[in-house]
Structures are given as C-alpha cells and as structure tokens.
Amino acid sequence: MSDLKNEFDQPLKGNSLGADAWRRLRKNRMAFISFFIVVFYVLVSLFAPILPIYSYTAQDLDHQNLPPSFQTADAVMVNQEIKKIEKKMKRDERTEMTADEKAQIEEFREYVANEKVVVDGKEINPNKKRYLFGTDDLGRDMLARVIYGGQISIAIGFVGTLTAVLIGILVGAVAGYIGGKLDFYLMRLVDILYGMPYIFIVIIILALFGGNIMALFFALSFVSWLTTSRVVRGQVISLKNSLFVEAARSMGASSGRIILQHLLPNSMGIIIVFATLQIPSFIMQESFLSFLGLGISAPFASWGSLISDGVGGMTSYPWRLFFPAMAMTIFLFAMNFLGDGLRDAFDPQSKNEL
Amino acid sequence: MKRYLLKSFLGMILTLFITITLTFFIVRAAPGGPFDRERVLPPAVQANIEAKYHLNDPLIKQYIDYMTDIIFRFDLGDSFTYNDHDVNYYIATSLPHSMLLGFISLTLATVMGVGVGIISALKQNRWPDYTAMSVAVIGISVPLFVIGPLLMYVLALKLKWLPTSGWINGRNGWVTLIMPVITLSFPYFARIARLGRASVLEVLKSDYIRTARAKGLSSAVIVFKHVLKGSLLPVVSYLGPAFAAIMTGSVVVEQIFRVPGMGTYFVKSALNRDYTLLMGAMIVYSIILIVMNFLVDVLYSVLDPRVSYE
Amino acid sequence: MKKVLLFVLITATMVSFYSCNKSSEAPEAKAATPKEPVEFIINNGAEPESLDPNKIEGVPEHRIYMALFEGLVAYDPKSGRAVPGMAESWDITNGGKTYTFHLRDAVWSDGVKITAQTFVDSWLRECNPETASPYSWFPAMFIEGADAYVNGEAGPEAVNIKAVDDKTFQINLVGPLPYVIDALAHYAFAVVPIHAIEKYGDDWIKPENFVSNGPFVLEEWLPRQQLSVVPNEKYWDRKSVKLDRVIYLSNDDNNTAHNMYLNGEADWNVTVPLDQMDAVQDEPWYVNAPYLGTYYYIIENKTAPFDDVRVRKALTLAIDRETIVKKITKGGQIPAYSMVPDMDGYPVLDDPKSHNFAKDVETAKKLLADAGYAGGAGFPDDVVILYNTSEAHKKIAEFIQEQWKQNLGINVTLQNMEWATYLQQRREHNFTVARAGWIGDYPDPNTFLDMFLAPESLDGAWGGNDGRYDNPKYDALIEKAATMEAGAARFSTLKEAEKYFITEDQGVLPIYFYTSNNLIDMDKWGGWYPNVMDNHPPKTIYLK
C-alpha cells in the first residue's frame, strides 16, 4: 500500500484513514486476535445479566470450595468426601476403606442425589448445578463472579485510564511545550501531589462523598496522571525543537495545533504504552481502595478483589486465584497487543519502517 | 547554569515546604485520631495522652512546633504508635534496608528492561518480541501479592531451597534477598521493557537514525550510539518517580518477606493515624522524589541535545 | 561516569551500614557452646509498640511482658489464672477491701532489691497523668484514690497504697472487688525498675540499659524483625526456666507466618489464616481452645426500625450461627445467643443447644410481621452492615446479609471501612448495624457487661455503648453487682442484668464465642497449655 502515498503521508487514493488502519491492523495477527478477545470480554460483560450463568451472590454453604468440574455438584461433593477419607487412610497408613467409611460415602451419595429444596414453589435438587470454575468459600459460582467482576474491572480500567491519560497528556504537553515559568510551576505541583499521603486523601474523599462510584473514580484518577504527565512532558520537550515543529511554527501554526497535530502524534507510541500500563494498576488499585472502604462493596466483586481473596487459599483452593487472575491476564494481554497494533496501524510513518 | 541550579534549589525547598504543610493538615483532617480504641478510654486518660503528645494545643501551634523541630533540629517528633523510640530512629533503622532492596531491584529491572526493550523493538512483531512482551504483560498484570506468595510456595515450601522470609541481618543471611528482589523487580522490569520497546521504535523511525543508516553506519553502532541514548528519555522520565517509590520500600513485599523496610510505615501509620511517623516517611519520600525529578530534568539535556532550559 | 560514581557511593554506604550492624548478629556467634541451646521461636504478630509495662496495650506486647516482668501475681500456664509471683502470699481484711501482700526476696536483673516501695513507686508511675498510660483506668477501677490521681484531681498521696515495711505491701480497694487477684497479673499493675528509669529516662528500654525482674531479660531488639530474650540469672525461680532463648518475631502477614510454621522456622504461631483452617483441622499441632471473647453485631437501638425489640429479635433469630462457626470461621467457635461466654460459676445465659434454627426462623418471621414488616415488606432499604476491613468480617457479613434476605425478605447492604473510620462511625452512632468484638480483660462476667451502661450511669457519655442500649433496670443491676462480694449471689445479679440485656431487650446480636487457634507441637514442647485467657507464659515451656 505504500506506493499509494507520497512522502508527506497524504493519502492519494480515496481510502479513509480508518479503513487504512483497519487493513493494517488485520495484517498484524496478534493485534487482530487481541481485538476479538477484547470485543468478546466487553460483550460478555455487557450481556452478563442475560447469560445462562448462576447468580454471583447466591450462596450455598454445602457447596463451598468445590473444585472446577464439568460434573454436577453432587458428584463433585462425593469425590471431595472420598478424598477426605483417602487423606485419613494415608495418615493411618492403610489402603482399604473400612466398611463404615464405604457406607458413609454411599449414604452421602444417596443424600446429595436426592436432596430437595423448594425454590419459587418448585421442588428442585440444589446439587445438580455445574460449577465450571468451581466455587468460592461461601459456595458461590466462580464463573459468575469472574464475569461480574470483569464488568466492574473493565469499566474501571477504561474510565480510570482515560481520565488519567487525558489529564496527564494535557498537563505534560502544555508544560513541556510552553516551558518557562508555567512548566516550572506545573512540575512543582506534580512534585507536591506525589508527596501527598494518598491513603489519607482516599479516607477524606470517603468521608466527604461516601463510597459511591464517582468518588472511586476521583480517588483513582487523583494521582495516577502524575507519571504520565512527566513522561509526556519529557517527550514534548525533546520534540519541540525538531525540524518539523520549527517548520510548522514558521508557517504560523498555533501552539494548540502544533501540540495536537505534531507533538502528540509523534509521542503516541509512548502514550499508548503508558495507557496500557495503567489499566492493570487501576484494576488492582480498586481492590486496595476497597480495603480502605472505597472500592466495590461486598458481595459485589471485581477481578482485583477476587484475586486478593484467592491468594490466601492459593495452596488449598487454587482455582479461586487461578480463574480471576487468568481472566485478567488474558484481557491485559489482549489490551497490550491491541494497543501496539493500533499504534502501528494509525502511525503516519509506519510505511517507512526499516 | 549557576542561576538555573540556584533557582531549581529554591524551587525544591519551596515544594518540600508546601508538601509538608499540606500533608500536616490533610492527615489531621481524616476521621479518627491516633488514640481512638475499640475500648473507649475514660475522658481523663484520653486527655492525659493527648496532652503528652501536645495534641490538645491549637493546630497552628502544633504546626509551628513541628516545623521548628524539623528545621532547627532535624527532629521528626515522637511516634504516636511506637512509644519507645522516635520517628528519626524508625526511619534510620528502616530506610537503609529499603534502599538496599530497592537499589538492587531497580538496577536489575533497568538493565534487564532496557535490554529486553531494545531486542523486542529490533525484532518487532516477531517471536522474540512476542515472548518478551508476554513476559512483560505478566509482570504488569500479576500483582506483587500474588507473585510473592507463589515464589515462597515454590522456592521455600516445595523445593526447600530458600527460607520463607527474613532479612540479611538475620540468621539466614543474604539468601533472604533473592525472593524480595525477584518480586519487586519484576513489575518494574516489565514496565521499563514496555516503555523501552515503544521508545526505541519511536526513535528508529526518526530522521537522525535514518540519516545514520543512510550514512552506512553499522547496526550495532546505530543501536548503541544513537538509538539507546535517544530512546532512554521516556524510561528516564518514568525512573524518576519510580526510584523514589522503590527506595522507600514496598509494603507488600516487606510484609510477605518480613523485610524491615520503610514501605510498611506509609500504610500502617496511615491506618494507625500515627501522624508523625507517616509524615516522616512522606518527607523522606518527597525529598528523594524532588531531587530525582530534578536530576531527570538535567539528564534530558544530557541525553538529548535538542533539549535546553535556556 | 557519574552513574558509576553514584553506584559506588550507594554500595559503599550500604556496606558500611551493614558492617556496623554486624555486632548485632551475636546470636549466631554464640552458637558454639557445647550443648545446643534450646530456642523457642514465636510468630508474635505485630511489631511491639513498647516494652515499658506502663505504656503497652496490645497482645503481642503482653506476650513479651510475660517473659520480662512479673507482678505481685503471675499467670498459671494451665488455667491462665493468677498464681503467686513477687508476692508469696496475701491476707484479705476489711471486708475484702484491704489486701496485704507479703513479698518474697527478689532482685532486679542488675541485683537491685525489689521492695514494697518499688511497688508503690511503680503503681504511682502507672497512674501519673504525665505517664499517660493507656491502661491507667484499670488501676483506677480498683484502687481507692487512684481515679482522682489519674484524673488530675488529686496528687499521688491520694492513692491508697503503702509500703508497710520492705516486704509488706498494702492496697485498699474501692470496694470488695472479687476479681482483683486475677486482675493484678495484668501489666497495668507491673513493677518497673524505678532506679533504671531515673537513671536513663526514656532510654531505659534499650537492651544495654534494660532491667527486668521476670524469668527472662532482654537480649536484642531489631525493630520490625525480632526481639530475643535470655534467662534472667537473678530470677527467684531460675531453676524452673528451661528455655535458653525465646525469639519473638514481628510478622504482619498471617500467611507468611503460617508458611514459616510449616517450614519449621517457627515453634508457635498464635493465629491460623482463615483459608488454612481446613488444612490444619486434623493436624496434631493445631490447638484449639475456648477463649474469653464474644463476636457480636451492635444495633443502633435508638434508630427506627431498630428501636422495636421485635425487629432486633427477628434479626438475631434469623442468623444460622451453626453454619457460621462450622463453615465460615471453622475454628471451633461456639454459637452465641447471649453476651457472656461460659465461665466458672457463670454458665451461658442462652444455651445454643436449646435452639432449633428452623423454629427460630419461624419465630423471627412472626416477630417481623408483628412489627409491621411482614415478609420484609416496607422495611427500610438503607440498612447497612458496617464492618472493619478483614477477610473474616467480610465473609460473615456477606453470609448474614444473605440470611436476612432469604429468611426475612430484608435487603441490607454491606460497607467496610478501615479501622479508624469504622470506629469513628460507631462512636458517632452513625450506623445501623455494625460488627464488634470483645475480649475479656479479666475472667469475670462484668468485663462483658459494664460497657453497655447508659450515660446516666456513665458520666453523661455513651462510652463504649455505641449502639445506645438504654435500660435503667440493667444499669441498676450492674451497679449493684459492682459492690457485692464474690459468690453466687453476685453472679445471679449479673445474670439478671444480662437477661434484661439479651432476653428482654436484645441490645446486641451475639454471633459466636471466640476460640484461640494456636499452632504448636505439644509432643515436642511441654509446659504450654491451652487456656481460656490464651496466656502462655514462656517461663514453664520446655523441650521434651
């Protein structure tokens, strides 16, 4: 496609920038796969309420800490009982179950297979559920919790990152480009904000605004833009004396135009990387804020809270850590490669790649 | 240049002063006080304790006393939680541990991160790039409080290669450094690698590299002489704040591996409303941060001839 | 070049710092003694806040206190109750109001004699407003005149304690308080080395200045790492002390502590992480014992709809406590329907065995309907369960939320807060339902009841009565019991008060009675016994 463009990157054919970018994105296999993964995550989160999954709050203490399985809960529970007895046999150094134990298992099997509870006037067996991701310590379906947790974490990741990056770009670009006194004062402000006791700020936000979602976003964005602004500023400072900026300036372009059209596009790679670096820290920070009373209140969950709940039981109930961590890592993988892919796709100079 | 230095120095002092002042009042605005307990103390006992720590003085007097102590005697005051030693003692006994751990971790992370970043960029969208970036994404997305216990489980409990926790001046010695260093440097490594890769890509397509290539310089020369220098800028911007953060310790790593560093004080003393200890820690952090950000600004002009502060 | 210089500089600083610290590694150097010294390593929880008995207030500090100091009485390792310590014996006269202690010949670890005057000076230091001891209210509760001195209304001469002669120490109480002997083992009644404190001031707690009178002396204290003690050669009962060194590890992370125990890096763990409960359940080194404490929910008694006792009753009956202790806390806790845990001569008011949960739920539904909220209809939807940040609190709150929803049709929300904010919300009665816990200070029902007095009986403040429980009949009974002599009559008065509090008024919702969960291999270590106070003096511990 490069032959369709001239040296100054002006499209010669009627291809829109978007369509062009889309074509380039498709060529980058990793980015393309990632794109679909992200779309999948977003769709699953959006349609969580109508998906055929169990409630993420419904507890069944008889089903606590069941490992993931395609079998129904009663079969898993019987297996768990057998494992317990096997553990005991190992300690007593025997290889055979006693008749008592066998009877006990049979009785248990009988009981769980025929247990009945009345829900909404209908008699059903609660042990016919299937927990593909296992259950947590209150007997809640991990699959549902991971999906609903994703809903919250993805929203936080996007909204938080967007605000933080926008503020960071604005402050960094203005400080770097204008320079002088303004730069000096803005950067001192950044230094001061770095030095603020974050936990106290959060506690005060909580006291002033209560534990609502806006307060959470405010607390998340409050300091997260600082490093972004310093990085952007560094880029802008180094670019602002480049030839192409000089050229634009000599042609009478306004400061705003130079920043938007020349400086930022040329720093886009770094900005996108920084944005993708921010997402996981937002997702995890939410669980730290809930520790202070600000994040998501139980029984709601987020990936962050599921992961921190799962860590303690990592050896005994690994699935409680594994699934939320996996869900999050895959999402972040996709975001990363998609970010890189987008950067390349929209890069005005990518045709000049060496 | 002298004027620039002097101005920067005055700016740093002023910044620090404002930071301390704001922090002083912010910490006292939070609900709850340092001596609130589940058991309600009789008012007289509560008053005795508050009198001992001068918390019953007018706020402005407390502030002036505090500033006077800091400026004239470098005295950060008494801790409200720990009765037997003052804040200076707790910082002096914890900061060196944090700095040692932080310094090793950050050096490791920077060297590895920059190296991996360059290789990744040079092999963009090929398997070394994908592998390296996958490792980096794991480092970014898996939190410290998962990596730490995982390492401990594998290396200490299963393989029995290392003791679970402890510190170098304990009986297990230097081996106790291994797990905290890996845990702490992994996310920094990951971030630096990502940033490094992106900025190398950015530099590779810039005019002066193209010129260098056109001049027929060898790849190695280009990479080490031009690309490396030019692409360090974003990494350096990132390293300023990161250095301050890592040198003052990480509460997660310290608690998991029982490292007697300073990071714990940021969280614990905030939760205890131990105003003085928290402020002491914040002041140390601010000083390091302000100095580092200044050095970063200076480094810009060293790394990139286009940058000037005139 | 500059970077290299910086690197060299920092490395040099580090190296010099650690080489200065080398001297503190003495324990390893000493390991060359012919017989392997017996060390006992304790995962002691948080970093000790102080070693000065007049300044401490936490459990980790108390464990260290038991090694370093000994008051008039010490703790019996089996029962956790008081046994003779510095006092060999005592006489009780004046209707139970005067105690005369006969001290044994004892010296501080530096050889200075401990006399009755040392006790007088120590207790006055505790009560001195300038010391500002957080526990100074404790002696003020017992000793005649101490209250006035603590409050600054009178000088030290007002405190009615005296040294009759070098070896006779006499105290006069505000009343015939029956539980005083057990209380005297508390660190608020410690004897402290006045001579060393006068000499070194605040520095007396440093290892090189430290003087103590207990079975051990301080050897080394590395902040946030460990504190070690070695036997006190001058201790009057030196021959009973078997351990050669006790090490108290500071450890903020329960999971790390657990891993350390599993890996053989610690000999005694004082807690078990919730998620490890299943795994340790059948292990011989898991020791579980009743503990003098109650986990409960407080209700704001003066806020509608909780000002209606039927609502409070309905809420308490709709909680399946059996499931909480079996499936959530898993540490052998005992379901609680009343406030005071089981004690000698004071059985629990409302036996959990008498409860049938299915029936309780029926009663709860009826009560709620009587109160005007049949099936939860019309019940306010802004009810919040407030709890401070903790894994266990969260799980219990989630469970109770679901229970109330299923059994009563009530929807409540959950709100967790960090400790200080949570406390402030409670203090300002700015909550509807909040979790609470109480550990007894001394083995007597009074410690679980006297915090629910109303302001009329409590200097006009709500004190620790955050749920604003208010019943004059209850207050009258508690105050009556405070002046009664020990015995069955006093206990039945307290029981009557508890009946008003729980059976009549349901002032709080008790959930369970605590248990202590320790990890220690009792086949390896002797002299360590489970007890209701969870007090385990290191003096008697030995390697089997």
Side-chain angles (χ1 to χ4, degrees):
Chain A
M1 65 194 118
S2 56
D3 53 338
L4 294 174
K5 292 181 160 195
N6 66 10
E7 184 58 28
F8 299 102
D9 195 29
Q10 301 303 316
L12 296 180
K13 253 178 97 182
N15 270 344
S16 75
L17 190 62
D20 219 29
W22 174 247
R23 225 150 19 91
R24 270 184 245 162
L25 186 66
R26 268 205 333 222
K27 280 215 163 166
N28 183 342
R29 213 177 337 137
M30 273 304 245
F32 198 56
I33 298 170
S34 298
F35 173 75
F36 282 102
I37 295 178
V38 172
V39 168
F40 172 75
Y41 267 81
V42 172
L43 286 181
V44 167
S45 300
L46 285 178
F47 295 108
I50 57 166
L51 291 179
I53 50 174
Y54 303 121
S55 152
Y56 67 106
T57 54
Q59 302 171 6
D60 187 338
L61 271 290
D62 289 331
H63 293 175
Q64 69 179 168
N65 295 324
L66 292 184
S69 167
F70 288 109
Q71 290 178 300
T72 52
D74 54 350
V76 182
M77 285 158 82
V78 171
N79 283 342
Q80 293 289 96
E81 283 304 304
I82 294 175
K83 270 201 193 122
K84 254 188 232 166
I85 289 173
E86 277 170 352
K87 201 177 152 199
K88 206 190 284 170
M89 287 168 24
K90 203 173 165 198
R91 204 172 37 232
D92 301 348
E93 286 167 358
R94 43 192 176 107
T95 47
E96 283 288 309
M97 277 192 207
T98 62
D100 256 10
E101 283 164 348
K102 274 183 189 153
Q104 194 189 326
I105 295 278
E106 275 320 301
E107 198 188 327
F108 185 71
R109 194 195 303 276
E110 196 71 12
Y111 171 74
V112 290
N114 298 310
E115 196 186 346
K116 291 274 183 289
V117 288
V118 180
V119 178
D120 299 327
K122 273 183 285 178
E123 214 176 54
I124 56 160
N125 186 340
N127 303 323
K128 289 297 168 201
K129 288 184 170 182
R130 279 174 216 270
Y131 299 111
L132 301 184
F133 281 16
T135 61
D136 72 358
D137 45 4
L138 289 173
R140 294 175 294 199
D141 181 26
M142 279 304 286
L143 175 63
R145 291 184 73 71
V146 168
I147 289 177
Y148 277 90
Q151 211 176 30
I152 285 163
S153 288
I154 291 174
I156 284 172
F158 280 142
V159 179
T161 304
L162 211 62
T163 18
V165 169
L166 285 183
I167 303 174
I169 289 178
L170 184 73
V171 174
V174 168
Y177 185 74
I178 312 260
K181 274 212 169 81
L182 185 73
D183 178 36
F184 181 79
Y185 288 117
L186 278 176
M187 284 306 109
R188 297 298 78 75
L189 175 74
V190 167
D191 282 349
I192 290 170
L193 286 177
Y194 266 123
M196 291 294 107
Y198 185 58
I199 295 178
F200 277 93
I201 307 252
V202 173
I203 290 169
I204 291 169
I205 291 173
L206 179 67
L208 290 179
F209 307 110
N212 63 45
I213 196 88
M214 286 320 287
L216 174 66
F217 283 134
F218 184 65
L220 282 172
S221 320
F222 187 76
V223 289
S224 49
W225 57 272
L226 299 177
T227 304
T228 317
S229 77
R230 282 202 59 90
V231 171
V232 172
R233 170 179 168 270
Q235 286 300 98
V236 169
I237 286 181
S238 99
L239 289 175
K240 77 174 172 187
N241 295 329
S242 314
L243 287 175
F244 67 94
V245 178
E246 295 275 346
R249 212 180 284 138
S250 66
M251 281 156 72
S254 68
S255 298
R257 201 185 150 78
I258 292 175
I259 291 178
L260 283 177
Q261 301 243 316
H262 298 280
L263 295 176
L264 290 184
N266 277 289
S267 316
M268 222 45 200
I270 303 293
I271 292 171
I272 286 181
V273 166
F274 227 80
T276 53
L277 288 180
Q278 294 273 20
I279 298 175
S281 50
F282 276 112
I283 292 176
M284 293 323 297
Q285 218 180 341
E286 180 274 322
S287 73
F288 172 70
L289 293 182
S290 70
F291 170 87
L292 296 175
L294 197 57
I296 302 305
S297 271
F300 300 105
S302 64
W303 284 340
S305 71
L306 289 172
I307 290 172
S308 50
D309 285 352
V311 170
M314 163 174 100
T315 48
S316 311
Y317 327 105
W319 60 91
R320 280 169 39 197
L321 173 63
F322 179 79
F323 288 110
M326 214 51 205
M328 186 174 101
T329 309
I330 291 176
F331 175 72
L332 293 172
F333 260 101
M335 282 307 294
N336 253 292
F337 289 114
L338 180 61
D340 284 352
L342 282 179
R343 191 205 71 93
D344 294 345
F346 282 103
D347 186 1
Q349 295 179 332
S350 58
K351 70 178 178 72
N352 293 328
E353 230 143 62
L354 298 153
Chain B
M1 195 61 196
K2 242 186 203 162
R3 251 195 80 220
Y4 174 69
L5 283 181
L6 185 71
K7 206 179 108 197
S8 302
F9 182 71
L10 288 178
M12 285 194 250
I13 297 289
L14 187 72
T15 309
L16 190 62
F17 179 79
I18 297 174
T19 308
I20 298 175
T21 306
L22 281 177
T23 309
F24 183 89
F25 291 103
I26 285 175
V27 295
R28 282 162 177 79
F35 302 108
D36 292 351
R37 297 289 183 268
E38 179 146 27
R39 165 196 311 290
V40 181
L41 292 176
V45 177
Q46 185 90 26
N48 289 343
I49 297 175
E50 282 171 6
K52 185 177 164 190
Y53 291 98
H54 304 290
L55 285 173
N56 49 359
D57 288 344
L59 204 54
I60 194 73
K61 183 173 184 300
Q62 289 183 43
Y63 170 70
I64 293 171
D65 288 348
Y66 184 75
M67 288 309 253
T68 322
D69 279 352
I70 293 184
I71 295 167
F72 295 107
R73 296 194 281 133
F74 293 108
D75 179 4
L76 293 165
D78 286 330
S79 160
F80 293 165
T81 315
Y82 303 105
N83 294 299
D84 291 352
H85 301 284
D86 59 9
V87 174
N88 288 21
Y89 173 84
Y90 280 105
I91 287 180
T93 49
S94 62
L95 185 61
H97 302 304
S98 297
M99 286 178 70
L100 177 78
L101 176 59
F103 190 72
I104 297 176
S105 305
L106 196 60
T107 310
L108 192 71
T110 312
V111 172
M112 301 268 296
V114 171
V116 167
I118 292 174
I119 294 170
S120 232
L122 293 178
K123 310 263 177 204
Q124 192 192 6
N125 294 347
R126 270 171 280 168
W127 71 264
D129 179 29
Y130 288 138
T131 319
M133 286 307 109
S134 302
V135 174
V137 174
I138 292 176
I140 295 161
S141 57
V142 182
L144 292 179
F145 63 81
V146 175
I147 299 180
L150 264 176
L151 278 181
M152 192 191 291
Y153 178 72
V154 175
L155 297 180
L157 258 56
K158 283 288 140 193
L159 300 174
K160 309 256 179 213
W161 287 351
L162 295 170
T164 56
S165 56
W167 192 235
I168 50 173
N169 54 353
R171 49 192 56 186
N172 293 313
W174 291 90
V175 292
T176 52
L177 260 175
I178 296 172
M179 286 194 285
V181 164
I182 298 177
T183 311
L184 191 56
S185 55
F186 196 26
Y188 285 94
F189 152 76
R191 284 180 166 75
I192 293 169
R194 293 280 300 138
L195 273 178
R197 173 184 181 273
S199 59
V200 170
L201 285 178
E202 214 70 18
V203 171
L204 279 178
K205 59 182 201 228
S206 68
D207 296 336
Y208 70 92
I209 297 296
R210 259 185 279 171
T211 318
R213 281 192 195 253
K215 281 201 291 192
L217 289 177
S218 78
S219 281
V221 174
I222 293 176
V223 167
F224 285 104
K225 207 164 166 203
H226 300 282
V227 178
L228 184 60
K229 209 171 158 192
S231 63
L232 275 177
L233 226 115
V235 176
V236 165
S237 305
Y238 168 76
L239 278 180
F243 183 87
I246 204 169
M247 285 294 157
T248 47
S250 148
V251 59
V252 178
V253 170
E254 285 174 16
Q255 298 214 339
I256 292 171
F257 296 111
R258 296 197 306 117
V259 177
M262 211 174 89
T264 306
Y265 295 141
F266 288 92
V267 176
K268 267 201 128 180
S269 55
L271 298 179
N272 289 333
R273 302 294 190 271
D274 189 346
Y275 304 145
T276 40
L277 184 53
L278 179 88
M279 291 213 39
M282 295 301 308
I283 290 172
V284 172
Y285 169 76
S286 284
I287 293 176
I288 300 180
L289 181 102
I290 292 170
V291 171
M292 281 316 290
N293 277 348
F294 166 72
L295 289 181
V296 167
D297 283 353
V298 174
L299 261 183
Y300 282 166
S301 51
V302 176
L303 286 177
D304 191 335
R306 291 174 298 184
V307 176
S308 81
Y309 293 101
E310 292 316 315
Chain C
M1 189 58 212
K2 269 183 217 152
K3 264 182 267 173
V4 177
L5 210 66
L6 185 74
F7 183 88
V8 170
L9 205 71
I10 295 183
T11 318
T13 322
M14 304 281 178
V15 168
S16 63
F17 178 80
Y18 285 102
S19 47
C20 293
N21 262 21
K22 272 280 191 282
S23 57
S24 60
E25 288 179 52
E28 280 139 288
K30 276 190 213 159
T33 40
K35 207 184 104 222
E36 190 73 16
V38 179
E39 278 183 349
F40 186 66
I41 303 175
I42 306 172
N43 257 317
N44 195 35
E47 164 77 0
E49 293 172 3
S50 180
L51 298 184
D52 185 334
N54 297 144
K55 292 179 182 167
I56 58 183
E57 51 181 326
V59 179
E61 292 82 3
H62 182 222
R63 280 189 212 105
I64 297 170
Y65 169 81
M66 284 190 287
L68 294 176
F69 292 93
E70 187 170 291
L72 290 170
V73 288
Y75 293 103
D76 177 56
K78 281 188 183 144
S79 65
R81 311 289 292 256
V83 290
M86 287 289 113
E88 268 174 327
S89 63
W90 50 87
D91 314 314
I92 309 170
T93 50
N94 192 17
K97 284 171 80 172
T98 302
Y99 282 68
T100 309
F101 294 92
H102 306 291
L103 306 182
R104 66 175 85 245
D105 284 319
V107 293
W108 291 103
S109 50
D110 61 357
V112 174
K113 271 188 81 163
I114 299 172
T115 65
Q117 191 58 41
T118 322
F119 272 92
V120 173
D121 294 340
S122 302
W123 289 21
L124 289 181
R125 180 172 185 264
E126 168 73 22
C127 296
N128 188 340
E130 276 174 33
T131 310
S133 162
Y135 259 95
S136 55
W137 58 272
F138 201 53
M141 225 174 96
F142 294 94
I143 313 292
E144 198 176 58
D147 198 31
Y149 185 39
V150 169
N151 290 346
E153 292 155 8
E157 64 287 343
V159 185
N160 202 346
I161 53 177
K162 60 174 180 273
V164 178
D165 58 46
D166 259 10
K167 292 183 64 183
T168 316
F169 176 55
Q170 197 183 64
I171 65 173
N172 289 283
L173 306 181
V174 290
L177 301 173
Y179 37 86
V180 66
I181 287 294
D182 281 323
L184 286 180
H186 194 274
Y187 44 76
F189 295 101
V191 56
V192 294
I194 297 290
H195 64 284
I197 296 172
E198 278 169 358
K199 189 167 164 196
Y200 300 111
D202 282 345
D203 285 343
W204 78 274
I205 40 77
K206 292 193 172 157
E208 62 270 27
N209 305 337
F210 199 82
V211 174
S212 65
N213 73 327
F216 295 89
V217 288
L218 180 63
E219 181 188 42
E220 180 190 38
W221 182 10
L222 292 174
R224 301 254 314 288
Q225 295 185 60
Q226 64 174 52
L227 183 146
S228 57
V229 300
V230 290
N232 176 2
E233 297 304 333
K234 301 265 169 57
Y235 182 58
W236 63 272
D237 196 13
R238 171 69 181 91
K239 61 178 192 326
S240 307
V241 181
K242 298 288 192 301
L243 296 173
D244 296 312
R245 180 176 290 118
V246 184
I247 295 175
Y248 296 85
L249 299 175
S250 300
N251 198 336
D252 290 312
D253 189 305
N254 283 343
N255 288 312
T256 299
H258 195 79
N259 287 341
M260 290 180 77
Y261 187 87
L262 295 179
N263 231 19
E265 294 172 38
D267 298 307
W268 171 26
N269 270 20
V270 297
T271 54
V272 182
L274 212 50
D275 280 318
Q276 303 297 339
M277 273 302 186
D278 282 333
V280 300
Q281 217 52 249
D282 300 320
E283 299 293 350
W285 34 263
Y286 166 62
V287 188
N288 166 279
Y291 184 36
L292 213 54
T294 311
Y295 188 100
Y296 58 102
Y297 273 20
I298 48 175
I299 308 190
E300 226 299 306
N301 278 258
K302 296 211 185 275
T303 312
F306 303 109
D307 51 353
D308 187 335
V309 64
R310 289 170 298 189
V311 172
R312 302 199 294 265
K313 281 263 168 219
L315 289 181
T316 195
L317 288 173
I319 301 170
D320 182 0
R321 293 165 173 77
E322 199 68 38
T323 303
I324 291 182
V325 301
K326 285 235 169 75
K327 305 252 164 131
I328 300 177
T329 60
K330 297 178 188 169
Q333 289 84 352
I334 303 145
Y337 292 86
S338 52
M339 188 64 204
V340 184
D342 191 31
M343 278 181 223
D344 271 351
Y346 194 100
V348 286
L349 173 72
D350 193 347
D351 187 358
K353 288 192 194 78
S354 70
H355 281 267
N356 174 321
F357 183 58
K359 272 192 204 146
D360 279 355
V361 171
E362 289 315 308
T363 322
K365 281 183 178 152
K366 234 179 100 235
L367 283 165
L368 197 68
D370 290 348
Y373 306 108
F379 200 82
D381 57 1
D382 57 351
V383 177
V384 176
I385 299 179
L386 176 70
Y387 60 95
N388 58 301
T389 307
S390 133
E391 179 100 43
H393 300 338
K394 177 168 123 187
K395 281 180 196 164
I396 292 170
E398 283 179 312
F399 179 72
I400 289 179
Q401 177 190 39
E402 192 74 4
Q403 288 270 294
W404 285 346
K405 189 168 153 192
Q406 277 176 8
N407 299 332
L408 300 176
I410 293 175
N411 284 309
V412 299
T413 45
L414 306 183
Q415 170 79 65
N416 91 297
M417 287 184 174
E418 51 90 36
W419 178 248
T421 314
Y422 150 86
L423 263 192
Q424 203 211 24
Q425 298 287 312
R426 271 180 60 181
R427 285 295 115 82
E428 293 176 353
H429 317 295
N430 194 5
F431 67 95
T432 41
V433 181
R435 73 112 324 231
W438 194 256
I439 306 296
D441 285 311
Y442 43 93
D444 187 272
N446 187 56
T447 179
F448 288 91
L449 296 173
D450 67 355
M451 62 185 153
F452 297 105
L453 293 173
E456 299 80 57
S457 329
L458 211 80
D459 336 313
W462 283 100
N465 188 1
D466 298 323
R468 294 197 282 190
Y469 171 68
D470 189 354
N471 185 341
K473 287 185 213 156
Y474 172 83
D475 290 16
L477 286 165
I478 296 292
E479 296 196 326
K480 184 179 162 205
T483 58
M484 291 170 77
E485 274 192 55
R490 179 170 166 277
F491 274 1
S492 70
T493 310
L494 286 170
K495 182 125 284 176
E496 214 182 315
E498 197 188 354
K499 255 183 212 151
Y500 276 115
F501 181 46
I502 298 295
T503 319
E504 294 266 314
D505 298 334
Q506 201 70 55
V508 295
L509 320 181
I511 313 272
Y512 63 77
F513 298 124
Y514 281 98
T515 48
S516 58
N517 291 285
N518 291 292
L519 300 182
I520 181 169
D521 186 352
M522 287 164 70
D523 293 334
K524 183 177 174 196
W525 301 101
W528 189 102
Y529 309 93
N531 61 58
V532 290
M533 301 296 286
D534 205 18
N535 280 336
H536 311 283
K539 170 181 168 179
T540 49
I541 299 172
Y542 63 93
L543 182 68
K544 279 184 178 169

